[in-house]
Amino acid sequence: MTQSTPQTMGQQFGRRSWAEPWKIKMVEPLRMVSRAEREKALAEAGYNTFLLRSEAVYIDLLTDSGTSAMSDRQWAGMMLGDEAYAGSRNFYNLENAIQTYYGYRHIVPTHQGRGAEHLLSQTTIKPGQYVPGNMYFTTTRLHQEMAGGIFVDVIIDEAHDPANLHPFKGNVDLGKVEALIQEKGAANIAYISLAGTVNMAGGQPVSMQNVRELRALCDRHGIKIYLDATRMAENAYFIQEREPGYADKSIAAIVLEFCSYTHGGWMSAKKDSLVNIGGWLAVNDWDLFEELRNLVVVFEGLHTYGGLAGRDMEAMAIGTAESMQDDHIRARIGQVRYLGQLLTDWGIPIVQPVGGHAIFVDARRFYPHIPQGEFPAQTLAAQLYLDSGIRSMERGVVSAGRNAKTGDHYYPKLELTRLTIPRRVYTQAHMDVVAESLKIVYDNREQTRGLRMVYEPKYLRFFQARFEPLG
Ligand code: PLI
């Protein structure tokens, strides 16, 4: 798969730059927002960056979801949309791309990742069953719980320590899975919910050895593994870089091998696959596919469009192929690391090693004087916006939500503020601005006070909760 490009030639000649394998053809102007405007906008948004209007944002690092710049080829694909209600040719192109790059047999398109999570949860979880996963993700766990499942975190302990330098902090602790099987019985485990690069742990990867061993363990007990493949191409980069035997394998070959150890997977194509909307669910088992294909028409749309326009499926098919190009991933992770290195050099506490899609600032160490109940990571996101109009996101106690049974806050060990880098959107100079602003906020940390939550929605509260400053 690796073609001879300036990137790979650069490697041969000993150059180290991760420079992007593309140039810019169209630009979208950014607006600088004044301090007075930022103060007003933040207060109106209840100190929640999700509630800011994007017009009030200068550099938007809220998420890498649906925020990618599409390529000229993807835009050309949009013009080839076959908007037939049934049997659109774009669906077959998408099906072919998923079968080629992820290796799964039967494909169901969905409008985005959580649509797929909904269908998978409803068809595979019986109420009261356990769903072990390598750390929770917000929408994933909620859909599992709404289907009656009980999420159990089986990620290795190192993942909960922001300073631990384990190269595969997304790995499943096989001992924890074994213990759960012994305690609850294999029949009471719905499936293993495995994520490639673990978002909430800081974009941390899973090794090939780990998934291989997990599969062997699951086979002994007849348990299925379903993969959240949302950032699996990024996971493959870390395997290529860090795992013995994979340095000469392409990203595409690594993804294919990894997926072969799982029974199916789902995707928020808004991340790796470089589109603004779209997702899918794919399984190898025909009977499960039959159920999914039936259920998708209830919630998403016919099984050949799943809530998407034909043009969206075409852009997704093309984006899937582009996401597997070695040069693309190298530049993608290179940019994230560039920002991470600046912050590390300036002594700002971030999750190490730097992961795939974002820099996660360790808000506990950033604001040691703000207790977790006063939302240090939410506070940091608010302060960064106030300083420069840069939008980030809380990934701590607010995102973790409440235990559905007891009603108590979950208090995760990780209290993080995420600076998420959209794909192919911002430049190295933008990364410099982000680092400079964070440094100013860090220098002023001692004067900063926390927040109080004044409105809390029932589901996924981080999206719409409102806060007021303390003190
Ligand atoms: O936002 P969706 O519904 O397309 O996908 C949900 C979803 C599933 N899995 C993982 C690992 C995600 O990161 C994810 C969505 N993530 C968002 C929106 C994010 O900002 O990270």
Side-chain angles (χ1 to χ4, degrees), residues 62-65 112-115 117 137 139-140 199 228 230-231 266 268 270-271 278 357 393 395 418:
L62 183 72
T63 178
D64 63 330
S65 182
Q112 60 182 86
R114 70 199 73 179
E117 288 169 345
F137 182 71
T139 57
T140 317
N199 192 351
D228 182 342
T230 294
R231 298 184 183 86
W266 76 93
S268 168
K270 301 171 72 172
K271 284 82 166 175
H357 63 303
M393 179 202 290
R395 295 273 83 152
R418 189 180 76 175

Coordinates of all heavy atoms in Angstrom, one line a residue, residues 62-65 112-115 117 137 139-140 199 228 230-231 266 268 270-271 278 357 393 395 418, ligand 1:
L62 N -13.3 21.5 19.7 CA -14.3 20.8 20.4 C -14.3 19.3 20.2 O -14.3 18.5 21.1 CB -15.7 21.3 20.1 CG -16.9 20.7 20.9 CD1 -16.9 21.2 22.3 CD2 -18.2 21.0 20.2
T63 N -14.2 18.9 18.9 CA -14.2 17.5 18.5 C -13.6 17.3 17.1 O -13.5 18.3 16.3 CB -15.7 17.0 18.5 OG1 -15.7 15.6 18.1 CG2 -16.6 17.8 17.6
D64 N -13.2 16.1 16.9 CA -12.7 15.7 15.6 C -13.9 15.0 14.8 O -13.6 14.3 13.9 CB -11.5 14.7 15.7 CG -11.9 13.4 16.4 OD1 -12.8 13.5 17.3 OD2 -11.2 12.4 16.1
S65 N -15.1 15.1 15.4 CA -16.2 14.3 14.8 C -17.0 15.2 13.8 O -17.6 16.2 14.2 CB -17.1 13.9 16.0 OG -18.2 13.2 15.5
Q112 N -25.0 7.9 12.0 CA -23.7 8.1 12.6 C -23.5 7.0 13.6 O -24.2 6.0 13.6 CB -23.7 9.5 13.2 CG -24.7 9.8 14.3 CD -24.5 11.3 14.8 OE1 -25.1 12.2 14.3 NE2 -23.8 11.5 15.9
G113 N -22.4 7.2 14.4 CA -22.0 6.1 15.3 C -23.0 5.6 16.2 O -23.3 4.4 16.4
R114 N -23.7 6.6 16.9 CA -24.7 6.1 17.9 C -25.9 5.4 17.4 O -26.5 4.7 18.1 CB -25.0 7.3 18.8 CG -25.9 8.4 18.2 CD -25.8 9.7 19.0 NE -24.5 10.3 18.8 CZ -24.1 11.5 19.4 NH1 -24.9 12.1 20.2 NH2 -22.9 12.0 19.1
G115 N -26.2 5.7 16.1 CA -27.3 4.9 15.4 C -26.9 3.4 15.4 O -27.7 2.5 15.6
E117 N -24.7 2.0 17.4 CA -24.6 1.5 18.8 C -26.0 1.1 19.3 O -26.2 0.1 20.0 CB -24.1 2.6 19.7 CG -22.6 2.9 19.5 CD -22.1 4.1 20.2 OE1 -22.9 5.0 20.6 OE2 -20.8 4.2 20.3
F137 N -17.3 4.7 26.6 CA -17.5 6.0 25.9 C -19.0 6.4 26.1 O -19.8 5.5 26.3 CB -17.2 5.8 24.4 CG -17.4 7.1 23.7 CD1 -16.5 8.2 23.9 CD2 -18.5 7.4 22.9 CE1 -16.7 9.4 23.4 CE2 -18.7 8.7 22.4 CZ -17.8 9.7 22.6
T139 N -21.7 7.7 24.6 CA -22.9 7.2 23.9 C -23.0 5.7 23.8 O -24.1 5.1 23.9 CB -22.9 7.7 22.4 OG1 -21.7 7.3 21.8 CG2 -23.0 9.2 22.3
T140 N -21.8 5.1 23.8 CA -21.7 3.6 23.7 C -22.3 3.0 25.0 O -23.2 2.2 25.0 CB -20.3 3.1 23.6 OG1 -19.6 4.0 22.6 CG2 -20.2 1.7 23.2
N199 N -10.9 6.6 23.3 CA -11.2 8.1 23.3 C -10.9 8.6 24.7 O -10.1 9.5 25.0 CB -12.6 8.3 22.8 CG -12.9 9.7 22.5 OD1 -12.1 10.6 22.9 ND2 -14.0 10.0 21.9
D228 N -15.5 -1.1 18.2 CA -15.8 0.3 17.9 C -14.6 0.8 17.0 O -13.5 1.1 17.5 CB -15.9 1.2 19.1 CG -16.2 2.6 18.8 OD1 -16.0 3.0 17.7 OD2 -16.7 3.3 19.7
T230 N -14.2 3.3 15.2 CA -14.3 4.8 14.9 C -12.9 5.4 14.6 O -12.7 6.2 13.7 CB -14.9 5.5 16.1 OG1 -16.3 5.0 16.2 CG2 -14.9 7.0 16.0
R231 N -11.9 5.0 15.4 CA -10.5 5.5 15.2 C -9.5 4.4 15.0 O -8.4 4.4 15.6 CB -10.1 6.5 16.3 CG -11.0 7.7 16.4 CD -10.6 8.7 17.4 NE -11.5 9.9 17.6 CZ -12.6 9.9 18.3 NH1 -12.9 8.8 19.1 NH2 -13.3 10.9 18.4
W266 N -18.5 -1.4 14.5 CA -19.3 -0.2 14.2 C -18.4 1.0 14.1 O -17.3 1.0 14.5 CB -20.5 0.0 15.1 CG -20.1 0.6 16.4 CD1 -20.2 1.9 16.8 CD2 -19.7 -0.1 17.6 NE1 -19.8 2.1 18.1 CE2 -19.5 0.9 18.6 CE3 -19.5 -1.4 18.0 CZ2 -19.1 0.6 19.9 CZ3 -19.1 -1.7 19.3 CH2 -18.9 -0.7 20.2
S268 N -18.3 5.4 13.7 CA -18.7 6.8 13.5 C -17.7 7.3 12.4 O -16.6 7.6 12.7 CB -18.5 7.6 14.8 OG -18.7 9.0 14.4
K270 N -17.6 9.8 11.0 CA -17.3 11.3 11.2 C -15.9 11.5 11.7 O -15.4 12.6 11.8 CB -18.3 11.9 12.1 CG -19.7 11.7 11.7 CD -20.7 12.1 12.7 CE -20.8 13.6 12.9 NZ -21.9 14.1 13.8
K271 N -15.2 10.4 12.1 CA -13.8 10.6 12.6 C -12.9 10.1 11.5 O -12.6 10.7 10.5 CB -13.6 9.8 13.9 CG -14.2 10.5 15.1 CD -15.7 10.3 15.2 CE -16.3 10.7 16.6 NZ -17.7 10.6 16.7
G278 N -22.2 10.3 9.0 CA -22.3 8.9 8.5 C -21.7 7.9 9.5 O -21.0 8.3 10.4
H357 N -6.0 11.4 18.5 CA -6.9 12.4 17.9 C -6.9 13.7 18.6 O -7.6 14.7 18.2 CB -8.3 11.9 17.7 CG -9.0 11.6 19.1 ND1 -8.4 10.7 20.0 CD2 -10.1 12.0 19.6 CE1 -9.2 10.6 21.0 NE2 -10.2 11.4 20.8
M393 N -13.1 20.7 25.1 CA -14.2 20.0 25.7 C -13.8 19.3 27.0 O -12.7 18.8 27.1 CB -14.7 18.9 24.7 CG -15.8 18.0 25.2 SD -15.9 16.4 24.3 CE -16.5 16.9 22.7
R395 N -13.7 16.2 29.5 CA -13.8 14.8 29.5 C -13.5 14.3 30.9 O -12.4 13.8 31.2 CB -12.9 14.1 28.5 CG -13.2 14.4 27.1 CD -14.2 13.5 26.4 NE -15.6 13.8 26.6 CZ -16.6 13.4 25.8 NH1 -16.3 12.9 24.6 NH2 -17.9 13.7 26.1
R418 N -10.1 18.1 26.7 CA -9.7 17.6 25.4 C -9.5 18.7 24.3 O -10.5 19.4 24.1 CB -10.7 16.5 24.9 CG -10.2 15.7 23.7 CD -11.2 14.7 23.3 NE -12.3 15.3 22.6 CZ -13.3 14.6 22.0 NH1 -13.3 13.3 22.1 NH2 -14.3 15.3 21.4
Ligands
PLI1 O1 -21.0 10.9 17.4 P1 -21.4 9.6 16.8 O2 -22.7 9.2 17.1 O3 -21.1 9.5 15.3 O4 -20.4 8.4 17.3 C1 -20.4 8.1 18.7 C2 -19.0 7.6 19.0 C3 -18.7 6.3 19.2 N1 -17.5 5.8 19.6 C4 -16.5 6.7 19.8 C5 -15.2 6.2 20.3 C6 -16.7 8.1 19.7 O5 -15.7 8.9 19.9 C7 -18.0 8.6 19.3 C8 -18.2 9.9 19.2 N2 -17.4 10.8 19.6 C9 -17.5 12.1 19.7 C10 -18.7 12.9 19.2 C11 -16.3 12.9 20.2 O6 -16.4 14.1 20.2 O7 -15.4 12.2 20.6

